[in-house]
Amino acid sequence: MGKFNLLYEPWILVVDEKMGEVKDVSLKEIFQNAHLYKGLAGDTRTQDFAILRVLLAVLHTVFSKFDADGQPYSFIKLDERFRQITKVGKDYEADYKEELLDTWYLLWEKGQFPDIICDYLEKWSDRFNLLDDKYPFFQVLEEDISGNAITIKNATRVSGKNINRLISESENKVALFAPKAASTRECLTYAEISRWLITFQGYTGAFDKAKFSSKYTYKPSKGWLFDLGGVFIEGDNLFDTLMLNFFITQDEGNNLLNIQKPCWEYSSNEIIKNYFLNYFDTHSKEAIIDNIAGLYTAWSRGIHINPEIKENTPFSCNIVKLPNIVHRDNFIEPMTLWKYNERGDDKNHTTPIKHRANKAFWRSFGLISGEQDRKPGVIQWLEEISRGLADCENNERYKLLSNLKLNISAISMQDDGNATSWVPTDEVIDYISVDGHIMTDIDKDRAWVSKINEIVDYTQHIVDKTYGIFINDIKEIRNISEESFNNHMKEELYSKINKPFIEWLADIHIDDEKEATEEKWKKILFKLVLKEAKEVVGNSNFRDYKGISEKKDSKGNVVKLSGNKNIATAYNALNYYLNKVLKGGGNNAK
């Protein structure tokens, strides 16, 4: 008894490029008309990111088997449902990778997706019913989470107003400014359930208690996406966005040769067994996923929705925790920032790093570009595309690719900081625009990447050190004890710098003269810092000008100053050191 099939029912929100309107489309429609849609336009950006990855999972599954003309690769055997029977042999790896690249370039040249995607989806149409008594989409059956299957008597109940992240209202706390009236907050349409179901599997938290019984203890997941500093490339339309993030030759973790295994090709019972038996790491107590389609459709919970539930009535579902996915050195994931850990539980390993709400994306340029730690896979993929451009025909689609202005978007879910619940609280959203030649400047010693990273470090030095000394002087003059004062004042300045820096970065062309471009930013920065300092001075009072002649050191002893320190002397010192740095002092500012 399938109900609300996602292949045919409209549920994905997109912006129609021609009409400029938001509309609901089905899964088949989105692949048939991706070139006609500006992009995803869901309820939240985190929801769009989660759904984007499901769409990419479809691409990885289909085009790991079929070329751009819909023909299967010669060394792959398929069953009647287009499911790959055996892995590609190691002897064919080089040829397979070359054919995958050819497939990508031909798809890009055509500018729209072929029918083979919908042909594949039709083969699995019975697995895309939102409500079903055998294969509900992204869900488990009732018997999977009942009786002795879990460690406590009942699975955790989640209501409509909690799974809907626009509300996120628990049973104990009322959301005062919810977008729905109190009487309808529990109610969801089938389309809304579909979108929030995918989002919830990616961004869950740890508020629930029920766990699966297992011979292994395991580390529960709070949602794979929850821990990512999400990074993806946005193109001019949805087709371009999907293609620019479609790392078809990803070979980390042997992904290239492994069979792509999206969740819909398996029953819920098979998925649970995979998490706990076939792909369970007994050392870390976590699950291992060895293919990118499986990672893009990973579950954090066994979720059961009553298949008899009616649309626009109070919604609820039952959930049970599934194992966390291995984070350490899990480079099969291409859509995140990475950080090498020199201390802590993950010492000497690289793990995903989340975006911070109080840190602009451009300040992580070293992580984006790979100058610091490991670069995101999607950036690595752009370099790989660039290497092949010389062998492609000189048509308009290839010109667009070679002259691309990269819009690199950042997305993370902020949490409450409570390790016992990890409640999602807000989204962190940001972006930068960069000349595509700069990010893929692989044959020119990456000089621009190094220069931009140097300027980012320089800018942070000016704010954190040079301006920081000025702020610390103000703190002493006003006898402020709160440590948060310095950070707050610095973040105020960073907020004024963010937009000008993004605009300066977007205006850089690879043929620009580096020293002149750097000097241009330094002058902008100089004016912004002094303007912010003048605002501080403008809000000063008599005490600030009277100043101090002594202060307490770190041990609480009173120390005489060499002269009187007031807001005017502090400002003059800042002005002096800024001029010194701007005129060639490099990073030797006070």
Side-chain angles (χ1 to χ4, degrees):
M1 49 117 342
K3 189 185 297 183
F4 198 80
N5 191 287
L6 303 184
L7 301 187
Y8 314 108
E9 299 285 353
W11 62 281
I12 305 174
L13 293 169
V14 297
V15 177
D16 186 289
E17 195 161 34
K18 185 176 181 180
M19 304 302 294
E21 298 175 344
V22 175
K23 65 178 184 180
D24 292 43
V25 297
S26 68
L27 194 56
K28 286 185 65 175
E29 283 180 294
I30 210 163
F31 286 111
Q32 291 167 338
N33 303 313
H35 57 294
L36 303 178
Y37 304 141
K38 183 67 178 174
L40 297 176
D43 303 288
T44 64
R45 290 287 281 171
T46 45
Q47 184 186 93
D48 287 341
F49 186 56
I51 291 175
L52 175 69
R53 290 166 63 92
V54 171
L55 301 180
L56 288 169
V58 174
L59 296 185
H60 279 284
T61 303
V62 172
F63 295 111
S64 64
K65 309 167 187 177
F66 296 94
D67 63 20
D69 294 321
Q71 297 302 310
Y73 303 115
S74 59
F75 31 76
I76 286 181
K77 293 183 179 180
L78 304 175
D79 65 14
E80 68 281 357
R81 299 190 80 174
F82 293 165
R83 182 160 45 188
Q84 190 173 333
I85 298 173
T86 59
K87 290 183 179 181
V88 175
K90 190 73 176 177
D91 294 343
Y92 296 104
E93 183 174 10
D95 293 337
Y96 183 42
K97 187 171 184 177
E98 185 176 343
E99 290 198 32
L100 290 173
L101 269 175
D102 288 343
T103 294
W104 191 94
Y105 283 117
L106 287 171
L107 289 172
W108 180 265
E109 181 181 339
K110 292 178 179 181
Q112 60 187 82
F113 291 119
D115 293 339
I116 188 61
I117 297 178
C118 291
D119 293 342
Y120 164 80
L121 291 173
E122 289 280 1
K123 293 282 186 180
W124 292 93
S125 62
D126 64 319
R127 304 299 178 91
F128 286 88
N129 292 311
L130 173 65
L131 304 175
D132 195 73
D133 58 357
K134 290 185 178 180
Y135 302 109
F137 184 73
F138 261 65
Q139 302 157 61
V140 299
L141 301 180
E142 185 175 15
E143 54 262 35
D144 293 323
I145 59 170
S146 62
N148 296 324
I150 59 175
T151 57
I152 63 175
K153 186 176 180 179
N154 296 309
T156 303
R157 178 185 174 275
V158 178
S159 66
K161 62 185 179 182
N162 191 262
I163 199 172
N164 183 345
R165 294 302 186 194
L166 292 177
I167 301 174
S168 291
E169 180 179 299
S170 69
E171 299 300 324
N172 304 315
K173 187 176 180 181
V174 176
L176 297 178
F177 302 102
K180 285 187 174 183
S183 60
T184 61
R185 287 181 193 177
E186 297 280 14
C187 303
L188 295 170
T189 65
Y190 289 152
E192 287 175 320
I193 294 171
S194 304
R195 296 193 298 270
W196 287 121
L197 173 64
I198 292 171
T199 310
F200 189 80
Q201 289 282 25
Y203 302 97
T204 312
F207 64 93
D208 52 325
K209 303 301 181 184
K211 296 176 66 176
F212 281 95
S213 298
S214 171
K215 66 177 181 179
Y216 301 115
T217 58
Y218 67 95
K219 185 186 296 184
S221 172
K222 56 178 178 285
W224 175 248
L225 301 187
F226 210 129
D227 288 334
L228 299 190
V231 177
F232 64 101
I233 315 300
E234 290 198 83
D236 290 337
N237 56 49
L238 182 56
F239 174 85
D240 287 1
T241 296
L242 286 166
M243 289 297 293
L244 291 171
N245 294 283
F246 178 26
F247 194 172
I248 193 172
T249 59
Q250 167 67 293
D251 57 4
E252 293 286 351
N254 211 35
N255 172 74
L256 191 71
L257 299 182
N258 288 336
I259 297 173
Q260 297 301 308
K261 302 172 183 176
C263 67
W264 51 78
E265 290 193 2
Y266 297 86
S267 68
S268 57
N269 186 258
E270 288 173 323
I271 290 173
I272 293 169
K273 286 182 178 178
N274 281 339
Y275 276 116
F276 287 109
L277 295 175
N278 300 332
Y279 300 100
F280 187 75
D281 182 359
T282 56
H283 175 70
S284 67
K285 310 300 183 186
E286 297 172 303
I288 300 172
I289 297 180
D290 66 1
N291 66 99
I292 201 167
L295 188 63
Y296 283 169
T297 59
W299 296 0
S300 67
R301 297 293 182 273
I303 300 177
H304 173 66
I305 300 173
N306 184 345
E308 301 295 335
I309 193 170
K310 304 297 183 183
E311 192 171 25
N312 283 316
T313 60
F315 170 86
S316 69
C317 62
N318 293 317
I319 66 174
V320 178
K321 295 179 178 182
L322 283 166
N324 195 36
I325 297 168
V326 170
H327 284 47
R328 287 182 175 184
D329 308 321
N330 193 358
F331 302 129
I332 194 174
E333 172 57 66
M335 306 178 79
T336 186
L337 296 183
W338 296 96
K339 180 183 179 181
Y340 181 78
N341 300 281
E342 297 181 349
R343 59 181 65 87
D345 294 340
D346 294 312
K347 184 178 179 181
N348 299 328
H349 292 277
T350 300
T351 53
I353 179 173
K354 294 176 69 167
H355 305 296
R356 299 205 318 259
N358 61 352
K359 183 178 180 180
F361 189 37
W362 60 264
R363 292 168 62 186
S364 298
F365 189 82
L367 297 177
I368 302 166
S369 63
E371 284 289 289
Q372 304 166 1
D373 294 305
R374 185 185 181 91
K375 75 182 69 173
V378 289
I379 303 300
Q380 179 185 333
W381 169 234
L382 292 172
E383 293 181 359
E384 190 165 334
I385 296 170
S386 299
R387 292 189 187 98
L389 283 178
D391 300 326
C392 297
E393 296 179 33
N394 189 25
N395 65 30
E396 290 303 314
R397 287 290 296 172
Y398 292 129
K399 288 179 182 177
L400 171 64
L401 184 60
S402 61
N403 296 310
L404 192 67
K405 173 70 74 174
L406 292 181
N407 296 310
I408 308 174
S409 291
I411 183 76
S412 271
M413 181 69 82
Q414 198 172 359
D415 59 69
D416 64 353
N418 185 344
T420 63
S421 60
W422 295 118
V423 175
T425 56
D426 202 359
E427 297 178 313
V428 180
I429 305 167
D430 209 344
Y431 77 98
I432 58 172
S433 293
V434 190
D435 186 329
H437 289 292
I438 290 174
M439 294 301 291
T440 60
D441 190 18
I442 55 177
D443 298 322
K444 299 180 181 178
D445 67 22
R446 291 173 60 84
W448 258 119
V449 166
S450 296
K451 173 58 68 175
I452 293 171
N453 193 53
E454 179 185 313
I455 293 170
V456 169
D457 289 343
Y458 169 89
T459 302
Q460 294 186 119
H461 177 92
I462 291 297
V463 177
D464 295 336
K465 301 296 184 182
T466 309
Y467 185 72
I469 290 173
F470 168 72
I471 292 304
N472 199 58
D473 287 343
I474 301 302
K475 182 181 175 183
E476 290 179 351
I477 293 167
R478 295 178 179 175
N479 195 28
I480 296 173
S481 60
E482 291 83 1
E483 290 300 322
S484 60
F485 175 78
N486 297 57
N487 290 334
H488 172 73
M489 297 298 285
K490 290 176 190 177
E491 292 306 326
E492 283 288 311
L493 177 55
Y494 272 123
S495 69
K496 307 287 177 62
I497 290 173
N498 288 344
K499 187 172 183 290
F501 189 92
I502 291 171
E503 292 173 347
W504 168 81
L505 182 61
D507 285 341
I508 298 175
H509 188 272
I510 196 165
D511 295 325
D512 290 346
E513 206 278 321
K514 294 181 183 63
E515 284 69 27
T517 304
E518 180 179 13
E519 192 68 17
K520 178 181 177 182
W521 170 248
K522 285 184 176 180
K523 289 179 179 179
I524 294 171
L525 179 62
F526 180 88
K527 291 179 180 178
L528 290 169
V529 174
L530 278 187
K531 182 179 179 181
E532 186 70 7
K534 285 178 181 177
E535 289 188 14
V536 174
V537 173
N539 292 323
S540 58
N541 54 35
F542 174 75
R543 176 178 176 171
D544 293 335
Y545 281 101
K546 180 180 178 182
I548 57 175
S549 57
E550 59 184 31
K551 67 174 185 177
K552 290 183 179 181
D553 62 16
S554 59
K555 296 181 179 180
N557 301 316
V558 176
V559 179
K560 288 284 186 180
L561 301 177
S562 58
N564 189 60
K565 180 189 287 187
N566 60 36
I567 199 164
T569 61
Y571 176 81
N572 289 338
L574 173 67
N575 196 357
Y576 167 78
Y577 285 112
L578 282 175
N579 274 292
K580 183 179 178 180
V581 175
L582 190 64
K583 292 176 181 177
N587 275 5
N588 295 319
K590 182 178 178 181

